[in-house]
Amino acid sequence: MIRSTRFALPFVLTTLAACSANPASMSTLTEGDVRSIRAVDEAWVQLAMAGNFSALVERCYTPDAILLPPNEPAARGRTAIEASLRAWPMMTDAAIDAAEIVGRGDLAYSTGTWQGTMHIEGVAPIQDKGKFVVIWRKDAEGAWRMTRDCFSSDLPAPTK
């Protein structure tokens, strides 16, 4: 019994140390990587507000990306993502705030909040806000693009 404890104790201590590591301290992203990811977020906002969804999808998403929007099926690939984005209401006053950007090598994730004003014909402008998780992949040319994009609203769903 004592012998098995002696062998198990180092394993348990190593496992506990690994589980308690702060993800931010594990980041090997450079400041340039973080700036590049933030630039893609800014491009997403500007291109979405301009209604330039072809350029948005090309600039911001990997060819095999999946968009996971609320209240509709997943959009798989750039063509489906562009079609999904085109179906959304016109947006103004949009902003993305990535509070956390963590990664290693050619993979990263970001979490944060978003906000924007949606304009639907015949309806007063709708202020919306929410949160997101994005998984990023760096391509062979060094460009960061979203490979998985999931977000949801903080506002309650309409009852009517």
Side-chain angles (χ1 to χ4, degrees), residues 58-75:
E58 181 70 26
R59 168 71 173 97
C60 300
Y61 291 96
T62 61
D64 63 343
I66 301 174
L67 175 68
L68 302 160
N71 307 315
E72 65 181 80

Side-chain angles (χ1 to χ4, degrees), residues 3-60:
R3 199 165 75 174
S4 64
T5 303
R6 186 175 24 184
F7 291 115
L9 187 58
F11 174 76
V12 170
L13 292 175
T14 302
T15 303
L16 287 174
C19 291
S20 66
N22 178 354
S25 69
M26 296 170 58
S27 176
T28 60
L29 296 180
T30 67
E31 287 300 317
D33 289 328
V34 172
R35 278 193 305 276
S36 294
I37 288 170
R38 289 189 189 285
V40 175
D41 281 343
E42 184 59 31
W44 195 104
V45 167
Q46 295 305 316
L47 293 166
M49 288 195 302
N52 191 346
F53 299 112
S54 295
L56 184 157
V57 169
E58 181 70 26
R59 168 71 173 97
C60 300

Side-chain angles (χ1 to χ4, degrees), residues 1-158:
M1 184 72 110
I2 293 173
R3 199 165 75 174
S4 64
T5 303
R6 186 175 24 184
F7 291 115
L9 187 58
F11 174 76
V12 170
L13 292 175
T14 302
T15 303
L16 287 174
C19 291
S20 66
N22 178 354
S25 69
M26 296 170 58
S27 176
T28 60
L29 296 180
T30 67
E31 287 300 317
D33 289 328
V34 172
R35 278 193 305 276
S36 294
I37 288 170
R38 289 189 189 285
V40 175
D41 281 343
E42 184 59 31
W44 195 104
V45 167
Q46 295 305 316
L47 293 166
M49 288 195 302
N52 191 346
F53 299 112
S54 295
L56 184 157
V57 169
E58 181 70 26
R59 168 71 173 97
C60 300
Y61 291 96
T62 61
D64 63 343
I66 301 174
L67 175 68
L68 302 160
N71 307 315
E72 65 181 80
R76 296 175 184 277
R78 286 179 171 164
T79 301
I81 291 171
E82 183 176 345
S84 177
L85 295 174
R86 286 187 183 282
W88 296 356
M90 185 182 86
M91 185 182 350
T92 60
D93 306 318
I96 295 173
D97 180 19
E100 177 182 45
I101 301 174
V102 178
R104 287 183 174 200
D106 65 350
L107 285 175
Y109 70 84
S110 63
T111 62
T113 58
W114 59 269
Q115 64 182 19
T117 303
M118 309 300 171
H119 300 272
I120 303 169
E121 191 172 326
V123 177
I126 301 166
Q127 301 275 330
D128 201 359
K129 63 180 182 168
K131 64 275 188 197
F132 68 86
V133 174
V134 171
I135 300 174
W136 299 86
R137 190 168 58 221
K138 191 180 209 180
D139 66 20
E141 290 79 41
W144 285 97
R145 289 190 172 78
M146 298 176 209
T147 190
R148 302 296 184 267
D149 182 5
C150 181
F151 64 96
S152 61
S153 175
D154 288 345
L155 304 181

